[in-house]
């Protein structure tokens, strides 16, 4: 259980860290999230959201 939580946390933080600089420059927040737990795919999403002006 701790291992799964640690992997999910690391994955989430790395995705957010990678996307932070590009979000403000483009006026959109874009993401591509893939999370695997115990060998099975839990989340696989990608998309963009407009930032409020």
């Amino acid at each position: 259980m701790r291992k799964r939580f640690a992997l999910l946390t690391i994955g989430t933080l790395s995705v957010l860290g990678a996307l932070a600089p590009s979000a403000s420059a483009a006026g959109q927040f874009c993401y591509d999230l893939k999370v695997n737990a115990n060998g099975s795919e839990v989340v696989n999403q990608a998309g963009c959201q407009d930032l409020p002006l």
Side-chain angles (χ1 to χ4, degrees):
M1 178 95 158
R2 282 193 227 174
K3 191 175 194 178
R4 181 184 301 171
F5 179 74
L7 290 173
L8 289 173
T9 302
I10 291 169
T12 302
L13 291 176
S14 64
V15 167
L16 290 176
L19 295 177
S22 64
S24 61
Q28 288 185 331
F29 175 75
C30 295
Y31 58 92
D32 184 4
L33 180 64
K34 294 179 184 176
V35 178
N36 293 313
N38 293 332
S40 64
E41 195 169 83
V42 178
V43 176
N44 185 3
Q45 293 181 341
C48 290
Q49 296 291 323
D50 291 329
L51 294 175
L53 299 175

